[in-house]
Amino acid sequence: MPRVQEKAKILESHREAEGIYRLVLYAPKIVPTARPGQFVMVRVASEGADPLLARPFSFYRLHKDDGLCEILLRVVGTGTRLLTRRTPGSSVDVVGPLGRGFTAPTSSEETVVLVAGGIGIAPLRALLDHMLATTHKNHPERLHLYYGARSAGELIALHALQRAGVVTVVSTDDGSAGEAGTVLDAMRKRWEASAQMPNRLYACGSLPMQVNVARWIRGRNILVEMSLESMMACGIGACLGCALPAVDPEAPHEPRYLHVCQDGPVLDPRRIQWDKLQPVMARPLTFTSL
Ligand SMILES: Cc1cc2nc3c(=O)[nH]c(=O)nc-3n(C[C@H](O)[C@H](O)[C@H](O)COP(=O)(O)OP(=O)(O)OC[C@H]3O[C@@H](n4cnc5c(N)ncnc54)[C@H](O)[C@@H]3O)c2cc1C
Ligand code: FES
């Protein structure tokens, strides 16, 4: 897949919720070959060295005919804060499309579950758009989105997806919308009571959420892909900083690594050694190890 660097013009910048922004970028060289689940490295500062590096963001929406993409970002530090201060009309250096995206379903017959935690809706929205325009155009009711957030105000794009016919189940930490509790509880409740399993499951969210999804799919015959995160300096396989401990079925006792920027960010969770993840993750784990 060709990787391109270009100066992308910021056409719009919207505050979607407290600390969550959506940027619309004109990137006509990158967008045509981009796929849901892939990402861009955005250089956040045009002058000075802070922050030195570019920051990775998933494609939230792709508008290929217009050469536009949208990214959804949560402000967590200097880089994301600087990006939200960029005004429409200014440009940012962007490299992409990067990494491996989602494998989309092949038929409308497939029942698809998507599990989104917070800002994890970003790559899943691009995938939903794709399925709604292709395989599931006439069967949006076979797309089941489990969407969890801290509170109602952080449920981005929920109404648009409901209008498109996607079956949505919402959960919030504070109970201000949907069920109070975790998104995984809501998903488990529905599918553990069902005689039939979904054909595919896609997930993106916090690390604890992803670990618990990985635990839940054990022994279940479902195709699963997750968009994973790791600290990224280069985004193109040069620094090796994004390595995650992996399982190699051919040599289970040999140390193996997958690089999120090139082998992922979309990966089969069965390939990750979740119990060895703690030392390499950006944020510490707060759950009991598998
Ligand atoms: C492939 C990929 C896709 C991503 N897509 C999105 C997206 O669509 N929307 C979005 O809001 N964010 C996304 N992220 C996370 C985003 O890149 C980070 O939040 C951002 O780089 C933080 O930059 P900063 O300068 O604001 O924070 P920093 O000042 O660098 O860090 C602030 C805090 O955030 C933590 N942090 C930084 N980067 C990461 C990371 N990659 N994973 C976990 N914790 C991190 C740091 O440890 C620190 O605690 C993605 C990350 C990856 C790897
Ligand atoms: S971020 Fe540099 S190798 Fe993956």
Side-chain angles (χ1 to χ4, degrees), residues 55-58 72-74 76-77 79-80 229-231 282-283:
R55 298 289 188 262
F57 297 96
S58 303
L72 190 68
L73 64 95
R74 180 187 286 282
V76 297
T80 42
E229 282 192 18
S230 138
M231 294 300 266
R283 296 182 184 117

Side-chain angles (χ1 to χ4, degrees), residues 152-166:
E154 295 189 3
L155 291 161
I156 314 296
L158 179 64
H159 299 303
L161 291 168
Q162 286 171 334
R163 277 197 302 276
V166 174

Side-chain angles (χ1 to χ4, degrees), residues 21 37-40 44 51 53-60 71-82 119-120 122-123 204 227-232 260-261 264-265 281-283:
Y21 290 77
Q38 291 189 296
F39 67 99
V40 279
V44 289
L53 302 174
R55 298 289 188 262
F57 297 96
S58 303
F59 292 110
Y60 169 59
I71 58 174
L72 190 68
L73 64 95
R74 180 187 286 282
V75 177
V76 297
T78 316
T80 42
R81 194 163 43 251
L82 282 176
I119 202 76
C204 186
S227 179
L228 295 173
E229 282 192 18
S230 138
M231 294 300 266
M232 281 189 187
V260 178
C261 69
M281 293 310 289
R283 296 182 184 117

Side-chain angles (χ1 to χ4, degrees), residues 232-235 237-242 261:
M232 281 189 187
C234 72
C239 72
L240 307 185
C242 64
C261 69

Side-chain angles (χ1 to χ4, degrees), residues 127-245:
L127 178 64
L128 276 162
D129 282 348
H130 175 77
M131 292 188 290
L132 285 166
T134 56
T135 45
H136 288 72
K137 192 171 181 175
N138 298 318
H139 287 290
E141 77 287 356
R142 291 184 189 152
L143 301 173
H144 299 249
L145 172 66
Y146 293 84
Y147 189 2
R150 290 190 290 214
S151 64
E154 295 189 3
L155 291 161
I156 314 296
L158 179 64
H159 299 303
L161 291 168
Q162 286 171 334
R163 277 197 302 276
V166 174
V167 180
T168 55
V169 179
V170 164
S171 63
T172 47
D173 295 347
D174 63 4
S176 53
E179 300 174 21
T182 75
V183 66
L184 209 67
D185 289 339
M187 191 272 282
R188 276 198 296 236
K189 210 187 294 172
R190 159 72 176 82
W191 291 97
E192 286 176 4
S194 164
Q196 235 183 343
M197 279 289 128
N199 302 91
R200 284 178 197 262
L201 188 150
Y202 301 101
C204 186
S206 68
L207 188 57
M209 185 201 101
Q210 301 207 330
V211 170
N212 285 315
V213 171
R215 180 183 287 159
W216 189 77
I217 51 118
R218 272 183 182 171
R220 291 188 161 91
N221 186 22
I222 309 172
L223 292 167
V224 185
E225 288 186 327
M226 278 187 191
S227 179
L228 295 173
E229 282 192 18
S230 138
M231 294 300 266
M232 281 189 187
C234 72
I236 56 168
C239 72
L240 307 185
C242 64
L244 295 184

